[in-house]
Amino acid sequence: MRTKIQAVRLYGNNVPVTEITYLTGLPRRTINRWYSRYLHHGLSGFVDNRQGGNHQHLTGEQIQDLAVKLHQYRPIDLFALDMVATADGAHWCVPDLKQAVKKWYDVEYKTDASYRQLFQKCGFSYQRTAKVFRSRSETKVADFEEKVEKK
């Protein structure tokens, strides 16, 4: 707030904008925007009214309930196979969590990071997916492993 007021005072006292940008480290556009806001709203125009990105849409009780449900069900138990994000629907991932939260609580978050935080609050940890090739034949793999064991 102090920087904003100082920049606007300097600008109002006809100090060159290049000098103000040097002193504050701010771009010209920001200083012009602040000065315009000051002319329209006074000092109250400098109050930060942002609420932040995603507000916590789920209550603590709902998050506890979600944790129980996530440990109780798999995505395939809730959605059709063509609706789950993973090949077998056995493990939770962000797209599946989005569907579940929407279905159970009618809530949508803006970013995937919010869903990852939900996972963390529900006791889930991040794990990399295994690299499995779609062209992989399980019978050929079993045959190969059998040959290796015989040697």
Side-chain angles (χ1 to χ4, degrees), residues 1 12 18 28 33-34 38 40 42 48-49 61 87 97 100 107 109 111 117 135 137 140 143 146 150:
M1 180 101 158
T18 53
R28 172 186 291 260
R33 187 175 60 240
W34 285 354
Y38 173 74
H40 288 94
D48 189 3
N49 293 322
E61 292 173 359
L97 180 61
V107 168
Y109 288 95
T111 64
Q117 286 177 345
S135 61
S137 169
K140 289 181 181 179
D143 292 341
E146 186 178 317
K150 287 181 180 179

Side-chain angles (χ1 to χ4, degrees), residues 85-88 91-95 125-133:
T86 58
D88 60 357
H91 305 286
W92 286 102
C93 60
V94 170
S125 62
Y126 175 76
Q127 297 180 2
R128 289 196 181 274
T129 57
K131 292 183 180 180
V132 177
F133 297 98

Side-chain angles (χ1 to χ4, degrees), residues 53-54 94 98 108-118:
N54 292 319
V94 170
K98 284 180 184 181
E108 292 181 72
Y109 288 95
K110 293 179 186 175
T111 64
D112 286 353
S114 297
Y115 289 99
R116 287 188 206 99
Q117 286 177 345
L118 269 179

